[in-house]
Amino acid sequence: MPRYILCIGAHPDDNELKAAGVAARWAAQGHTVKFVAVTNGDVGHFSEGGGPLALRRTAEVRECARLLGIETQVLDIHDGELMPSLENRKTIGRLIREWQADVVLGHRRYDYHPDHRYVGVLLDDTAVVVVAPFFATDTPPTPRNPMYLYYSDEFLKPYPFDPAIVVGIDDVAEKKWSCIAAMPSQFGDKDSWQARTLPGVPAADRERQAWLIDQVRQRDAAVADRYRDKLIAIYGAERGKAIRYAEAFELSQYGRQATLDELREIFAVT
């Protein structure tokens, strides 16, 4: 059954980092997938900013979307200035209602970055009202509460990320790496956020981009290793042990609940 899936991240690269693998597979299976960046990323660089950077990052995620076979949108909210306001709750609610989303993915509210935190708060706050006919009445309510899932993270307080489903992405990994490579403002430039904040980044342009993309590979490999027991439980011992790269998702208590069997079907885990 075709589904409408909406991934809502704080910046133009968050969805791509956390869900490009499953998005590529969903698109190939005929589901309709959209990535939304709630802020325009206009401070996410050390030598470039403002409107030119926002336009550059929007062009980058559009290229990512083309490679993945999905749709994308970047909202015009300044990077670092997102607030969990009523206006923004309605904005997020309208996006979910316009998409008639069956599944919504995004950040938890526990994160070092305020934009990530507030995307999590806003998502939680929409989980009830998206079905209310008299909320944001310029959009149609969803017929039932969507299923909400959170992206993986490593924060431990007040409680650690607890995945309901861990998905091997080896078969679509190259599409994900191509998507990441299409975002040099974040994974290539010498003054990109990653290049300026990670230790040991090579100085030469080609080596630097290859090194930064490999950091993303290592993160997805770390997800597979961290949740190896769950991969084995989901895929069986032989396949679960062999998976190199994975993306993981926690089921929110606020949206529609799902059994593991339903999650396996949604994420095409067979």
Side-chain angles (χ1 to χ4, degrees):
M1 179 182 68
R3 289 187 168 85
Y4 286 83
I5 299 159
L6 188 63
C7 301
I8 301 179
H11 309 100
D13 74 340
D14 288 322
N15 296 309
E16 291 77 9
L17 283 169
K18 295 296 185 179
V22 293
R25 186 179 297 136
W26 277 326
Q29 292 165 348
H31 301 300
T32 306
V33 184
K34 183 176 184 179
F35 282 1
V36 175
V38 180
T39 75
N40 61 21
D42 59 357
V43 304
H45 202 276
F46 280 88
S47 64
E48 184 178 1
L53 179 60
L55 291 172
R56 182 183 180 196
R57 295 188 71 179
T58 297
E60 289 176 345
V61 294
R62 284 177 178 163
E63 175 60 10
C64 287
R66 186 191 68 80
L67 293 167
L68 299 175
I70 67 171
E71 296 188 32
T72 195
Q73 181 179 357
V74 178
L75 303 187
D76 194 21
I77 298 173
H78 291 302
D79 190 345
E81 297 185 15
L82 180 67
M83 295 297 294
S85 64
L86 175 58
E87 177 184 2
N88 286 332
R89 185 190 310 165
K90 289 183 176 181
T91 295
I92 299 300
R94 286 188 180 100
L95 288 166
I96 294 167
R97 289 157 72 104
E98 288 167 355
W99 200 245
Q100 289 291 289
D102 302 301
V103 181
V104 177
L105 282 70
H107 304 287
R108 295 200 304 159
R109 59 171 66 198
Y110 313 116
D111 199 291
Y112 76 107
H113 197 302
D115 291 340
H116 291 204
R117 287 200 302 273
Y118 293 148
V119 166
V121 171
L122 290 163
L123 287 175
D124 289 349
D125 288 352
T126 65
V128 172
V129 294
V130 290
V131 299
F134 298 108
F135 174 80
T137 55
D138 56 336
T139 53
T142 57
R144 60 176 178 170
N145 286 94
M147 186 183 302
Y148 285 67
L149 294 114
Y150 300 127
Y151 293 148
S152 63
D153 63 60
E154 298 180 14
F155 300 102
L156 302 178
K157 296 181 180 180
Y159 72 88
F161 175 80
D162 182 21
I165 186 78
V166 184
V167 184
I169 62 165
D170 293 10
D171 59 319
V172 289
E174 289 305 320
K175 277 195 174 182
K176 180 166 185 174
W177 314 147
S178 295
C179 169
I180 300 303
M183 298 187 290
S185 73
Q186 305 304 297
F187 302 95
D189 292 5
K190 66 181 178 61
D191 288 326
S192 66
W193 198 270
Q194 300 291 325
R196 287 286 296 271
T197 58
L198 294 176
V201 180
D205 290 345
R206 184 175 296 179
E207 288 79 3
R208 180 173 57 250
Q209 183 176 48
W211 188 92
L212 290 170
I213 293 170
D214 189 59
Q215 296 304 297
V216 180
R217 289 192 183 92
Q218 290 183 38
R219 293 177 198 176
D220 288 341
V223 170
D225 290 341
R226 186 176 303 119
Y227 303 115
R228 183 67 61 188
D229 289 348
K230 190 170 284 288
L231 284 171
I232 289 170
I234 292 170
Y235 287 89
E238 183 176 357
R239 289 183 64 197
K241 289 178 181 178
I243 289 170
R244 296 179 62 192
Y245 306 112
E247 294 170 346
F249 306 93
E250 178 179 330
L251 183 63
S252 169
Q253 298 180 73
Y254 299 143
R256 182 170 64 84
Q257 298 303 286
T259 64
L260 179 57
D261 285 343
E262 186 176 3
L263 290 170
R264 288 170 60 98
E265 191 272 327
I266 289 170
F267 285 89
V269 174
T270 57

